[in-house]
Amino acid sequence: MYVLSDELLFRVEKNGGILINKNNFSRLELSESESIFLSLVKEMGKEKAFNEYIKYFSADSLTKILREKIYKEGEIKEKGISSLSIINKIQSKIKELKKLNQISFPLELVIYPSMYCNLHCSFCFLANREDENVHLADDWKKVLSQAKENGILSFSILGGEPTKYKDIDNLLKIIDSLKVVTTITTNGQEIKKSTIDIICQSDYITPVISLESIDDFKNFELMGTRSKRGIELITRIAS
């Protein structure tokens, strides 16, 4: 049985839909008929989806999408949903999105688990702020899981200094389990070994190290810390 590749994000949108490669973010715009077909593929596999599709539409409308290298061999657990109900659902969704003139869901979600920062950068208005009521990772899990279900492409974790967030390790573990491409922006000055280990072991989380200059004096002037620690962290993660 052929199914959609795990490397692809498929979403129904007002123009019909989009396919996005999660690795390089390349995109393919889809027509309404192609989105209907791929919705059927998700529920019943390519072969059965094609047989069900041609009961209601012309096979000619699928010439392009059938030739795309977006399918792989795999198992699928059918949910017993009729093809006609899937088709009606997709057509109704596209109609509603056209009426609202909007995309179905954001492509990227940016979260700020805590606004606290351990530095006093001269250019930053958020430096050294502490949140009294920060949420635990399990609270973020609900939001992140909903975003995954709605076809989010990527997460971005900002702050403050996110590695100083008290539940950062659990948050990163949750994100890794969701298998969504994620960046975490950190100054890297006081990052825990356990946090580094989670990042290094993840196939989905990429650190972005904040440095204003590799020159120690210039970096200290701007960020109040020397660049050495950040450079050491980059070297460690890259090795």
Side-chain angles (χ1 to χ4, degrees):
M1 179 182 291
Y2 284 89
V3 298
L4 278 177
S5 170
D6 294 331
E7 296 179 352
L8 298 170
L9 170 68
F10 163 57
R11 289 187 10 176
V12 175
E13 297 295 348
K14 64 179 182 178
N15 62 311
I18 53 172
L19 270 176
I20 303 178
N21 187 306
K22 296 177 183 177
N23 297 322
N24 58 26
F25 293 176
S26 62
R27 304 183 187 188
L28 176 66
E29 291 193 10
L30 304 170
S31 66
E32 181 173 321
S33 60
E34 289 169 337
S35 287
I36 288 173
F37 175 68
L38 292 185
S39 297
L40 291 170
V41 172
K42 286 180 63 178
E43 298 295 336
M44 56 190 65
K46 181 182 176 184
E47 294 76 11
K48 186 173 180 180
F50 180 77
N51 292 331
E52 291 296 313
Y53 179 88
I54 60 176
K55 291 179 182 179
Y56 308 97
F57 306 98
S58 168
D60 294 340
S61 60
L62 296 180
T63 301
K64 180 184 72 174
I65 204 68
L66 288 174
R67 292 176 178 175
E68 291 288 342
K69 297 179 180 179
I70 59 176
Y71 308 99
K72 68 167 189 175
E73 290 189 18
E75 296 297 324
I76 192 169
K77 186 177 180 180
E78 292 190 40
K79 302 174 184 177
I81 306 173
S82 72
S83 57
L84 188 57
S85 65
I86 294 172
I87 292 169
N88 290 336
K89 180 180 178 181
I90 300 306
Q91 289 178 328
S92 295
K93 184 173 183 178
I94 292 174
K95 183 178 180 180
E96 182 64 22
L97 290 172
K98 283 181 178 178
K99 182 179 179 181
L100 296 172
N101 194 28
Q102 65 183 38
I103 62 173
S104 61
F105 200 81
L107 286 172
E108 180 184 44
L109 179 64
V110 180
I111 67 170
Y112 297 79
S114 170
M115 298 310 294
Y116 170 76
C117 186
N118 53 311
L119 297 184
H120 302 270
C121 300
S122 58
F123 52 82
C124 182
F125 68 95
L126 289 175
N128 201 32
R129 284 193 180 180
E130 179 73 82
D131 290 332
E132 296 181 358
N133 299 309
V134 293
H135 296 283
L136 294 176
D138 279 345
D139 295 321
W140 282 109
K141 183 178 181 179
K142 299 173 185 177
V143 176
L144 300 174
S145 297
Q146 183 183 25
K148 170 71 180 291
E149 292 170 2
N150 282 276
I152 202 76
L153 181 62
S154 63
F155 297 138
S156 179
I157 309 175
L158 301 176
E161 171 49 46
T163 65
K164 296 298 291 179
Y165 165 55
K166 62 183 180 181
D167 210 13
I168 186 61
D169 285 2
N170 286 327
L171 178 62
L172 293 178
K173 289 176 182 177
I174 288 170
I175 286 175
D176 187 61
S177 70
L178 291 173
K179 299 181 180 180
V180 174
V181 174
T182 301
T183 58
I184 175 170
T185 302
T186 173
N187 59 53
Q189 297 300 308
E190 298 178 14
I191 187 171
K192 299 180 293 185
K193 180 182 181 301
S194 58
T195 306
I196 296 174
D197 290 342
I198 293 169
I199 292 172
C200 290
Q201 292 166 12
S202 174
D203 292 327
Y204 304 97
I205 303 171
T206 300
V208 178
I209 313 301
S210 296
L211 283 175
E212 292 303 312
S213 174
I214 59 173
D215 179 274
D216 264 359
F217 177 78
K218 289 182 179 179
N219 205 73
F220 186 83
E221 185 178 34
L222 291 168
M223 297 181 68
T225 186
R226 304 194 182 281
S227 59
K228 181 180 178 181
R229 177 70 179 109
I231 295 173
E232 288 177 344
L233 179 60
I234 293 171
T235 303
R236 180 176 178 180
I237 291 174
S239 62

